[in-house]
Amino acid sequence: MIRIANCSVDWVSDTIKVALYDETQNLSANVEFMSQVSATEFAGSGYARATVVNKSITLDGNAVNFAGDATFSSVSAGADDVQFAIYYKEVTDDT
């Protein structure tokens, strides 16, 4: 959210991707690159990070709502359960 608020990420125009993680990942505001959190990324067969499409931003009173669609197809069970997702701006590649 910090990068969206200071306009270094454009939710609608930028390529936004989403990655899935298990419960062992500890996040902090200091994470800037996907390589800093890749160790605990979901590892189910057929899994790949997804690109968010049909993105929009709407205002509802004082709330800003970010919407978009991401599809994970053909993902089988992994060693860990998915606990959360990280949305990120792809700059040059997925790292």
Side-chain angles (χ1 to χ4, degrees):
M1 287 302 295
I2 294 169
R3 301 244 184 231
I4 291 173
N6 72 17
C7 299
S8 62
V9 173
D10 184 322
W11 177 259
V12 175
S13 298
D14 288 341
T15 298
I16 305 296
K17 292 198 169 187
V18 59
L20 304 177
Y21 288 84
D22 68 23
E23 73 280 355
T24 63
Q25 181 62 54
N26 293 316
L27 295 179
S28 75
N30 298 325
V31 173
E32 289 192 52
F33 304 101
M34 291 304 292
S35 59
Q36 293 174 277
V37 293
S38 62
T40 60
E41 189 168 356
F42 182 73
S45 176
Y47 165 75
R49 295 174 181 174
T51 301
V52 181
V53 297
N54 303 320
K55 298 174 289 187
S56 65
I57 301 174
T58 57
L59 297 175
D60 183 11
N62 291 328
V64 179
N65 300 304
F66 296 87
D69 300 317
T71 301
F72 295 94
S73 57
S74 303
V75 177
S76 63
D80 300 310
D81 293 329
V82 173
Q83 297 296 318
F84 63 94
I86 295 176
Y87 290 81
Y88 65 96
K89 173 183 175 179
E90 183 180 63
V91 179
T92 304
D93 56 32
D94 272 354
T95 60

